[in-house]
């Protein structure tokens, strides 16, 4: 029995990693598991419901509308800090500042992965909304993560703090480029590649450098919380705290920008992207 | 001795469902990392106490369910749980003779082995997760095991009499 089970597990894991061969079995088991997921989310939902019950529905609707509007505005504003200092550095070279008027869309977080070693979330926007793999997610305070897989109506995103995630950043004060990696803790990033003589201080703001082409440049990522140099080591041990409220908010913004869009259609507008997709499909 | 009696399937299903719900319940990340392995512990308890009904196969299927709910590669938790169940099956006769705290001495390495299998498969699959707090659930499981197993046994005894 054990032998059979071990071999079956290994075969299934390789099949699962290689593609979608196990999808029928997955969906069958997911049906079994669905009631448990519902039951597990009941306590939190009940609290939410009770909170809302005592409010007036009109107030709620208005509040929600204002919150979304506020989030959108903050999303556009947050680049200013970085643009300001960049302007100072580059004014002589750069004739005009880059436009920060990027297209954004609000997405709700449907669920987050219960496995504490995978920082993933599921969003309620998908291919039909023009979402694409590699698209950046932000919230009111900074970068949240990026989209890793897209289904027709939903998508999955990986958060900055996932241990397998790295993001190219620059230190806003000096312009030093480096990479911030996730640690698996919700409030910590590490910067493992800063040489021991790098100019970095506690409190420094890290912003996206936009170098890898995935994230739009100039969005805040994290604040440096600790800088430690062990004599004899080539690199500093630097940790930083993400500025975005990871794992707390329910809404995030999807950003369409010129650097990251795979097709020209996608960066003009999501609805156009969806339309052109529909046109091209038979 | 509940291992000689057939405990009603309702209680078994209910306790396993309850442990699964506790496993899936959303918690703040800092607490979630130390969440005890309720679901494996409950499955292993019934595998230990109902030898004529449950074995490695049930543990494997239970693990597959966890894989789907967690979005891990299909078979990861299945394999880890099946191996843990195999160890419990082999040690079953010894475990029956021991007091709950003594049982823990044998079960703690099994829980640690379960967690190690997950860690190892994650590593092979390229999902790095070498973090010390990965082992915290083993300790919290050890803390709740005496209470939880005593409770399950009490309920089961009430029913078979």
């Amino acid at each position: 029995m054990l032998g059979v089970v071990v071999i079956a597990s290994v075969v299934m894991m390789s099949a699962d990693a290689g593609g979608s061969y196990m999808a029928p079995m997955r969906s069958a088991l997911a049906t079994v598991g669905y009631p448990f997921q519902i039951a597990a989310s009941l306590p939190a939902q009940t609290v939410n419901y009770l909170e809302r019950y005592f409010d007036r529905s009109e107030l709620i609707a208005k509040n929600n509308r204002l919150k979304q509007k506020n989030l959108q505005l903050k999303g556009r504003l947050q680049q200013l800090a970085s643009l300001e200092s960049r302007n100072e550095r580059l004014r002589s070279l750069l004739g005009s500042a880059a436009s920060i008027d990027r297209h954004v869309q609000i997405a709700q977080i449907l669920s987050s992965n219960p496995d504490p070693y995978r920082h993933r979330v599921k969003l309620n926007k998908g291919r039909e909304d023009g979402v694409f793999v590699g698209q950046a997610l932000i919230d009111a305070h900074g970068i949240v993560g990026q989209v890793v897989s897209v289904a027709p109506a939903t998508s999955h995103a990986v958060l900055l703090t996932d241990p397998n995630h790295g993001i190219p950043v620059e230190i806003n004060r000096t312009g030093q480029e480096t990479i911030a990696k996730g640690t698996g803790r919700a409030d910590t990033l590490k910067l493992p590649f800063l040489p021991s003589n790098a100019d970095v201080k506690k409190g420094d703001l890290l912003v996206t450098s936009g170098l890898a082409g995935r994230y739009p440049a100039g969005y805040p990522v994290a604040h440096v919380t600790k800088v430690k140099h062990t004599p004899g080591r080539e690199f500093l041990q630097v940790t930083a705290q993400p500025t975005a409220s990871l794992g707390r908010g329910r809404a995030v913004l999807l950003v369409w920008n010129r650097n990251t869009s795979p097709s020209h259609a996608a960066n003009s507008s999501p609805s156009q992207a969806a339309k052109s997709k529909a046109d091209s499909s038979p | 001795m509940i291992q000689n009696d057939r405990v009603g399937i309702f209680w078994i299903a209910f306790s396993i469902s309850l442990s699964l719900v506790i496993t899936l319940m959303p918690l703040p990340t800092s607490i979630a990392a130390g969440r005890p392995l309720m679901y494996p512990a409950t499955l292993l308890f019934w595998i230990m106490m109902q030898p004529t009904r449950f074995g490695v196969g049930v543990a494997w299927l239970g693990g597959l369910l966890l894989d789907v709910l967690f979005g891990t590669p299909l078979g990861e938790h299945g394999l880890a749980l099946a191996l843990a169940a195999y160890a419990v099956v082999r040690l079953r006769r010894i475990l029956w003779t021991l007091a709950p705290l003594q049982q823990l001495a044998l079960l703690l390495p099994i829980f640690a082995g379960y967690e190690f299998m997950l860690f190892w498969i994650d590593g092979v699959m390229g999902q790095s997760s070498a973090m010390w707090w990965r082992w915290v659930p083993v300790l919290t499981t050890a803390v709740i095991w005496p209470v939880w197993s005593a409770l399950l046994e009490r309920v089961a005894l009430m029913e078979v009499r």
Side-chain angles (χ1 to χ4, degrees):
Chain A
M1 186 68 192
L2 184 72
V4 176
V5 161
V6 169
I7 292 167
S9 300
V10 172
V11 170
M12 279 161 61
M13 278 189 278
S14 359
D16 212 16
S20 55
Y21 305 110
M22 303 310 295
M25 184 156 184
R26 237 175 216 287
S27 63
L29 276 166
T31 317
V32 178
Y34 186 64
F36 298 105
Q37 275 181 320
I38 296 288
S41 64
L42 269 183
Q45 276 179 356
T46 314
V47 171
N48 267 349
Y49 176 78
L50 286 178
E51 270 177 5
R52 296 190 160 211
Y53 183 78
F54 293 107
D55 288 336
R56 297 233 175 139
S57 58
E58 199 185 336
L59 273 179
I60 297 165
K62 193 172 178 186
N63 194 355
N64 274 347
R65 242 187 352 261
L66 290 176
K67 264 186 195 158
Q68 296 213 334
K69 186 79 189 161
N70 191 18
L71 193 61
Q72 260 176 341
L73 292 176
K74 274 188 176 170
R76 289 188 189 167
L77 259 179
Q78 58 185 262
Q79 280 188 303
L80 280 183
S82 140
L83 277 179
E84 241 171 23
S85 61
R86 172 168 308 182
N87 247 7
E88 256 169 63
R89 287 203 298 274
L90 301 182
R91 191 173 294 156
S92 56
L93 298 172
L94 203 68
S96 61
S99 162
I100 58 163
D101 187 25
R102 292 199 170 102
H103 183 81
V104 294
Q105 191 175 3
I106 289 186
Q108 298 286 335
I109 294 178
L110 293 179
S111 64
S112 56
N113 197 317
D115 187 345
Y117 312 111
R118 286 172 174 77
H119 292 200
R120 306 270 160 102
V121 294
K122 190 176 177 186
L123 305 172
N124 71 343
K125 294 282 193 293
R127 195 176 297 120
E128 287 163 6
D129 305 286
V131 178
F132 54 91
V133 170
Q135 186 168 20
L137 291 181
I138 62 172
D139 76 353
H141 311 288
I143 296 278
V144 171
Q146 61 172 300
V147 175
V148 285
S149 71
V150 185
T154 57
S155 52
H156 286 268
V158 58
L159 302 183
L160 288 183
T161 48
D162 187 280
N164 279 353
H165 188 270
I167 174 171
V169 295
E170 64 182 46
I171 299 168
N172 196 35
R173 184 169 54 84
T174 60
Q176 163 109 45
E177 316 258 355
T178 183
I179 289 175
K181 295 195 68 182
T183 57
R185 287 198 224 205
D187 59 349
T188 314
L189 299 175
K190 61 181 177 188
L191 280 63
F193 306 121
L194 280 172
S196 55
N197 60 354
D199 180 11
V200 54
K201 286 192 296 209
K202 192 181 164 187
D204 276 351
L205 177 66
L206 305 173
V207 300
T208 45
S209 63
L211 273 192
R214 281 247 153 152
Y215 287 101
Y219 279 88
V221 175
H223 280 110
V224 173
T225 51
K226 206 176 84 183
V227 180
K228 192 177 159 203
H229 177 229
T230 311
R233 292 185 76 156
E234 284 184 43
F235 295 105
L236 293 171
Q237 288 150 282
V238 183
T239 57
Q241 183 177 23
T243 52
S245 47
L246 298 176
R248 290 198 292 275
R250 300 293 304 217
V252 290
L253 292 171
L254 288 158
V255 186
W256 277 264
N257 86 320
R258 239 155 276 259
N259 299 337
T260 57
S261 302
S263 68
H264 182 67
N267 66 39
S268 48
S269 101
S271 54
Q272 271 185 23
K275 218 171 96 194
S276 70
K277 184 131 193 116
D279 288 344
S280 61
S281 59
Chain B
M1 294 297 268
I2 58 172
Q3 49 268 40
N4 300 323
D5 299 299
R6 283 179 74 84
V7 175
I9 196 71
F10 171 79
W11 281 112
I12 296 177
F14 178 75
S15 60
I16 291 176
S17 307
L18 183 68
S19 66
L20 188 54
V21 168
I22 293 173
T23 307
L24 293 175
M25 199 167 287
L27 288 177
T29 330
S30 48
I31 304 175
R35 192 196 314 252
L37 307 164
M38 286 295 274
Y39 180 69
T42 314
L43 272 179
L44 292 181
F45 176 85
W46 290 118
I47 287 166
M48 175 171 85
M49 287 307 196
Q50 296 281 288
T52 56
R53 305 164 91 183
F54 299 126
V56 172
V58 169
W60 185 63
L61 287 175
L64 291 188
L65 183 61
L66 213 53
D67 280 325
V68 171
L69 291 171
F70 275 13
T72 43
L74 204 60
E76 175 173 345
H77 286 83
L79 180 58
L81 250 176
L83 289 172
Y86 181 72
V88 168
V89 169
R90 292 304 296 266
L91 295 171
R92 207 141 53 176
R93 288 183 184 287
I94 304 169
L95 283 165
W96 289 342
T97 64
L98 300 177
L101 277 180
Q102 294 170 313
Q103 279 179 355
L104 205 52
L106 279 181
L107 288 172
L108 200 57
I110 293 178
F111 287 129
Y114 167 78
E115 199 60 42
F116 176 76
M117 275 310 292
L118 297 181
F119 164 70
W120 191 39
I121 297 170
D122 271 353
V124 173
M125 291 292 193
Q127 172 82 29
S128 73
S129 56
M131 296 162 272
W132 62 266
W133 66 92
R134 180 120 209 182
W135 306 100
V136 177
V138 177
L139 296 178
T140 50
T141 312
V143 173
I144 61 140
W145 171 264
V147 183
W148 184 240
S149 66
L151 192 72
L152 288 177
E153 197 163 358
R154 179 72 57 88
V155 169
L157 278 175
M158 232 163 45
E159 209 235 346
V160 293
R161 266 189 198 134

